[in-house]
Amino acid sequence: MSAPDPFDTRNPPVPARGSPLRPLPKLIFASRWLQLPLYLGLIVAQAVYVVHFLVELLHLVEAAFGNKDALQALITSIGYKTTAPVGTLNETVIMLVVLALIDVVMISNLLIMVIVGGYETFVSRMDLEGHRDQPEWLSHVNASVLKVKLATAIIGISSIHLLKTFINADNYTDRVLIAQTVIHIAFLFSAMAIAYTDKLMASNAPRGDGH
């Protein structure tokens, strides 16, 4: 019986099973499971955001039908202040509430990326290959990709907060407006720096010669 051809792609050789880890490396490697309660805690936080979203949405619908208590709850929630009393749901309040709901959704997306991507990258594989509901971004996720995606998500959240502030600018001082703008610009430059660094690392990575 001839030895298997290592270059035969039709019947690739089966890799030998690695030797068992020594106790100390095994303990260190198993310590990654200490992150599991952190991700479970983020799932609980995700549930809290869902409840908050539904409550705000319910208040918006009730206020649209003339419920004064719901309207007051919305005004308090978004921090809207005006010299004239707000008796009905107006365009500014609706816009601020919708932006707040979008903010919740974007933070929820950020949580999903951290929970799923972080678990897949740092704890254990989820074996989602071939699953019809596998997120597209998860198929090529790694620590570098996750950093860029998180930075992009944070920029989106910061943009929503900044837009809410400018819509409700009468209730903020110039110092707050300038500070939020500077912070947003800092997020932009940070994301660009992360993306550029990852690009440099990818370009300097060794490549196969194709032979």
Side-chain angles (χ1 to χ4, degrees), residues 39 79 93 149:
Y39 292 113
V93 174
K149 288 187 176 295

Side-chain angles (χ1 to χ4, degrees), residues 56-120:
E56 291 294 304
L57 183 61
L58 178 61
H59 286 163
L60 179 61
V61 173
E62 290 177 341
F65 285 96
N67 189 312
K68 302 296 183 181
D69 294 334
L71 177 61
Q72 188 58 44
L74 287 177
I75 293 174
T76 303
S77 175
I78 61 179
Y80 181 67
K81 297 178 182 178
T82 180
T83 55
V86 180
T88 58
L89 194 63
N90 57 43
E91 183 180 359
T92 302
V93 174
I94 294 174
M95 190 180 303
L96 290 172
V97 173
V98 170
L99 287 175
L101 295 178
I102 294 174
D103 188 27
V104 171
V105 172
M106 296 188 71
I107 293 177
S108 180
N109 292 339
L110 178 62
L111 283 171
I112 287 295
M113 280 193 288
V114 173
I115 294 169
V116 179
Y119 183 89
E120 175 84 10

Side-chain angles (χ1 to χ4, degrees), residues 4-211:
D5 184 1
F7 299 101
D8 186 1
T9 57
R10 295 171 300 175
N11 297 297
V14 179
R17 184 181 298 274
S19 59
L21 291 175
R22 298 190 305 274
L24 182 57
K26 185 176 181 180
L27 175 63
I28 294 174
F29 183 60
S31 66
R32 72 193 190 280
W33 289 103
L34 291 175
Q35 296 188 47
L36 181 59
L38 306 181
Y39 292 113
L40 294 178
L42 289 180
I43 293 175
V44 175
Q46 175 94 331
V48 172
Y49 262 108
V50 171
V51 173
H52 175 72
F53 180 92
L54 294 176
V55 169
E56 291 294 304
L57 183 61
L58 178 61
H59 286 163
L60 179 61
V61 173
E62 290 177 341
F65 285 96
N67 189 312
K68 302 296 183 181
D69 294 334
L71 177 61
Q72 188 58 44
L74 287 177
I75 293 174
T76 303
S77 175
I78 61 179
Y80 181 67
K81 297 178 182 178
T82 180
T83 55
V86 180
T88 58
L89 194 63
N90 57 43
E91 183 180 359
T92 302
V93 174
I94 294 174
M95 190 180 303
L96 290 172
V97 173
V98 170
L99 287 175
L101 295 178
I102 294 174
D103 188 27
V104 171
V105 172
M106 296 188 71
I107 293 177
S108 180
N109 292 339
L110 178 62
L111 283 171
I112 287 295
M113 280 193 288
V114 173
I115 294 169
V116 179
Y119 183 89
E120 175 84 10
T121 303
F122 301 109
V123 179
S124 179
R125 292 187 178 276
M126 302 178 69
D127 296 327
L128 294 177
E129 290 78 5
H131 195 283
R132 64 176 184 176
D133 291 331
Q134 179 188 9
E136 184 275 333
W137 57 270
L138 191 59
S139 61
H140 52 271
V141 71
N142 53 44
S144 297
V145 173
L146 192 60
K147 283 190 299 182
V148 175
K149 288 187 176 295
L150 291 179
T152 305
I154 291 173
I155 290 173
I157 295 170
S158 176
S159 301
I160 295 297
H161 276 273
L162 192 60
L163 182 57
K164 287 168 58 180
T165 300
F166 278 114
I167 292 175
N168 200 18
D170 292 339
N171 296 320
Y172 295 94
T173 63
D174 292 341
R175 181 177 179 181
V176 173
L177 296 175
I178 294 173
Q180 289 198 10
T181 304
V182 171
I183 291 172
H184 180 68
I185 294 174
F187 283 148
L188 286 173
F189 279 108
S190 298
M192 292 171 61
I194 292 173
Y196 182 69
T197 302
D198 287 338
K199 182 179 179 181
L200 288 179
M201 293 176 63
S203 62
N204 293 331
R207 300 178 180 177
D209 56 6
H211 298 293

